[in-house]
Amino acid sequence: MAQRYIRVQSLEGRIHYGILQLSLEVLLLDAPPWLQGQPTQESLTPDEYQILAPCAPSKIVAVGKNYVEHAAEMGSSVPKEPLLFLKPPSAVIATATEIKYPQQSRRVDYEGELALVIGDRTSDCTPEQAQKKIWGYTIANDITARDLQRQDSQWTRAKGFDTFCPLGPWIVREINPSAQLQTFLNDNPHPVQSASIEEMVYSPSVLVSYISQVMTLLPGDVVLTGTPPGVGALNAGDRIRVEIEGIGRLENTVILRYANENFESTIQNL
C-alpha cells in the first residue's frame, strides 16, 4: 500500500500533518510533507484525532470539460484549451463530513475527480517541469449547483458554496496513469461514474503547465482535473462516494444548508 499523507486535528484542537499507519495511528510530521516535513517521535491513536482535508490550499484551480463524454453530456465539445475556473478555499471539507445543499438551487450535482496537490512554487513551467511540481494525488468532488451554473454568466456562485469541495481522505505520492475513478450514490452497487483517469484530454502535467502560465501555484494548492461522464443530481439525505484506485475513497452525506423555512422569501426580498 502506498504511503498515505494525512492532515488531522487532535482532541486539543491542534492541526498536524502526518503519515497514516496500517494501525490507523498517525505518525506526526513537523511540517507539511511538501515543505520537507520530517517524522517526529509523536503519534496519535485513532481515538485522538479527527481527519481533515489533506491540505489547506490558498486556491483550488479546477478544469471543466476535460473528458470527451462529459463534455458531450453537457452539450458541448472539449475546449481547444483547458477551461479553468476557481473554487474558494472555504468550499473545502473533509471526508465523512456534510455537503450543505443551498436553498438557492434546485439542482446540485456530484462530480468525482482526481485532484493534484502542488509541492513547489510553480510559474511559467513546461509540462516536463510541471510533472515534478505535482507532489501528490488525492480525490475531490466538484459539487456544482447545476441550475445556477446555467443561469449565471460565469460559474463562481454555482461552484463556490461552502462545502462544495470535498477533498481527501489523504494524499499519495504516485498513481497508476490508468487508475479507475468510480462514483457511487447511496447503496447502489453500480457506479454512476466509471472511467480511467487516462481518458482525460489534458493530462495532469499539461494542466499544471497551462495554469502556471496564468497564475503562480503555491505549495499545497490543489488542481481539479475534471470529471468523467455520469454526473447527476444529489438530494438531502444522499451519501456520495468517490473512489480512485490506488488512493482510497472520499465519502460525504448531503444535508439542507438552511433550516429556516423563511429563507426563500428573504432571498426574494434582497
Side-chain angles (χ1 to χ4, degrees):
M1 178 179 291
Q3 200 158 71
R4 298 169 291 177
Y5 293 86
I6 195 168
R7 182 169 162 265
V8 299
Q9 185 171 28
S10 70
L11 298 180
E12 295 75 29
R14 296 182 61 189
I15 295 175
H16 303 274
Y17 288 90
I19 301 172
L20 185 64
Q21 308 295 295
L22 290 176
S23 64
L24 300 185
E25 288 191 7
V26 174
L27 176 61
L28 302 186
L29 303 176
D30 59 11
W34 43 89
L35 298 181
Q36 291 73 54
Q38 297 300 310
T40 68
Q41 300 300 313
E42 297 180 79
S43 63
L44 296 175
T45 62
D47 60 351
E48 292 179 321
Y49 67 83
Q50 174 185 353
I51 294 179
L52 302 176
C55 56
S58 76
K59 55 186 169 294
I60 302 128
V61 187
V63 180
K65 302 179 182 178
N66 196 26
Y67 289 76
V68 172
E69 292 184 18
H70 171 61
E73 73 180 352
M74 292 292 102
S76 65
S77 57
V78 173
K80 293 181 180 179
E81 296 182 354
L83 175 61
L84 305 183
F85 60 93
L86 295 171
K87 292 177 82 80
S90 54
V92 172
I93 58 172
T95 191
T97 58
E98 295 165 331
I99 298 163
K100 296 181 180 180
Y101 197 120
Q103 290 191 9
Q104 294 98 319
S105 177
R106 294 294 178 269
R107 170 66 186 261
V108 170
D109 284 8
Y110 55 81
E111 293 189 11
E113 307 196 11
L114 174 69
L116 317 175
V117 179
I118 301 301
D120 192 13
R121 186 180 180 91
T122 304
S123 179
D124 293 317
C125 66
T126 66
E128 294 73 24
Q129 294 168 332
Q131 185 59 48
K132 298 177 182 178
K133 304 291 188 177
I134 300 171
W135 192 89
Y137 305 87
T138 189
I139 306 171
N141 196 341
D142 176 20
I143 305 298
T144 304
R146 191 70 69 198
D147 54 344
L148 302 183
Q149 183 185 28
R150 291 170 176 150
Q151 174 184 320
D152 296 350
S153 60
Q154 44 74 38
W155 298 359
T156 301
R157 183 164 66 131
K159 299 282 192 176
F161 284 98
D162 289 354
T163 77
F164 269 27
C165 190
L167 197 66
W170 41 69
I171 302 166
V172 300
R173 295 298 312 274
E174 297 181 355
I175 190 170
N176 188 320
S178 60
Q180 196 76 8
L181 182 157
Q182 294 187 309
T183 303
F184 297 86
L185 185 60
N186 296 319
D187 296 321
N188 192 331
H190 303 291
V192 288
Q193 291 183 289
S194 184
S196 167
I197 61 173
E198 67 182 350
E199 295 175 33
M200 64 178 68
V201 177
Y202 301 107
S203 69
S205 59
V206 168
L207 292 177
V208 171
S209 172
Y210 184 86
I211 295 165
S212 79
Q213 314 299 319
V214 180
M215 66 189 81
T216 299
L217 293 166
L218 302 176
D221 280 352
V222 169
V223 174
L224 308 188
T225 59
T227 195
V231 300
L234 291 169
N235 294 289
D238 281 346
R239 297 188 313 280
I240 187 72
R241 184 175 84 250
V242 184
E243 299 183 359
I244 297 181
E245 183 182 2
I247 301 179
R249 60 173 60 181
L250 172 69
E251 186 167 3
N252 300 88
T253 55
V254 183
I255 64 169
L256 292 177
R257 181 174 180 180
Y258 299 102
N260 184 354
E261 295 179 358
N262 296 320
F263 177 81
E264 289 187 32
S265 61
T266 301
I267 288 295
Q268 292 170 359
N269 292 329
L270 289 179

